[in-house]
Amino acid sequence: MFSYLRERFSSRLRERSRRRARLVSKDGRCNIEFGNVGQSRFVFLIDIWTTILDLRWRYKMTIFISAFLGSWFLFGLLWYVVAYIHKDLPEFNPSINHTPCVENINGLTSAFLFSLETQVTIGYGFRCVTEQCATAIFLLIFQSILGVIINSFMCGAILAKISRSKNRAKTITFSKNAVISKRGGKLCLLIRVANLRKSLLIGSHIYGKLLRTTITPEGETIILDQVNIEFVVDAGNENLFFISPLTIYHIIDKNSPFFHMAAETLLQQDFELVVFLDGTVEATSATCQVRTSYIPEEVLWGYRFAPIVSKTKEGKYRVDFQNFSKTVAVETPHCAFCLYNEKEAKAKEKKGYDNPGFVLSEVNETSDTKM
């Protein structure tokens, strides 16, 4: 019992260590950290628009609220200074004939309210600028222009954040596992992908990258070395008619990095298969990318995906997403090398070949029958 628990605990630790080392999560987020960036952080301020768009919502809303409240309060102080210099405040006891720069500013609170009304163009009609003070007129023009700029930038950033194609990518889903089985007489690695919306992705393109640590002949260790993995469907890997779930597959031939792997050694491998789907959103014409990854524990050898599309009595096609990631065990060679050797052996049997050591000898027939 103790040995079983120890083995279970160690297997959990190994699984967690593998998950911790995953570069791309199942939902497509990249698990990478930049260190010692130093003064290069200044470039994020230069490209302020992209920086604002990449911020999380809580930080974006904090900047949004702070920008408006800060500008209102700053100009409120300026309006208070104008009223103080022109001696429009009640503590100066202005005369009855005194014309203030701004009507009905009695303190810092009323100056803040006038700043708010000016920048958001509310216009209650109670506080207003007079023609008595040129400084007040200039400040009014400056605040109106700056308020339009702040409003355009912050509202545009929020609108762009909402309409980013990144959200459209969340409606594209991949199967939880990848499977390896025979397809069309060839050993293939198969993955299922589905579009949860009825609107299409135009010009879709599917490809993959195999990430692993390799050592060059010169002895250099390359971490996260990338190897191209070609994925296809029966109609090709470009311009897909992506209205129903598709099963994409990679043919494991002699040029494939999976060729020298076997069912018994698959879990001992150290790799991460990252799958990408690029396309253009039909509604907005914006490009988007969906990605996911598979580690050796998520690749099932000797399985295929269960059927998912059926036809109803009314003549409609029905997609059952309950079977989207469901797999079925099938008979599969335990390695690609064995499959191709088996094919070559069968081909030689059908074709036949000569034995160079065979010698044909003639036999004289004699008859022992005497007449």
Side-chain angles (χ1 to χ4, degrees), residues 59-69 151 154-155 158:
Y59 302 124
K60 186 185 293 292
M61 295 307 299
T62 301
I63 294 176
F64 180 85
I65 295 173
S66 301
F68 282 101
L69 289 178
N151 187 64
M154 298 308 301
C155 293
I158 290 181

Side-chain angles (χ1 to χ4, degrees), residues 14-25:
R14 288 195 299 269
E15 183 179 355
R16 289 188 63 182
S17 65
R18 281 185 177 274
R19 289 180 179 177
R20 202 178 299 119
R22 186 195 291 268
L23 177 66
V24 180
S25 63

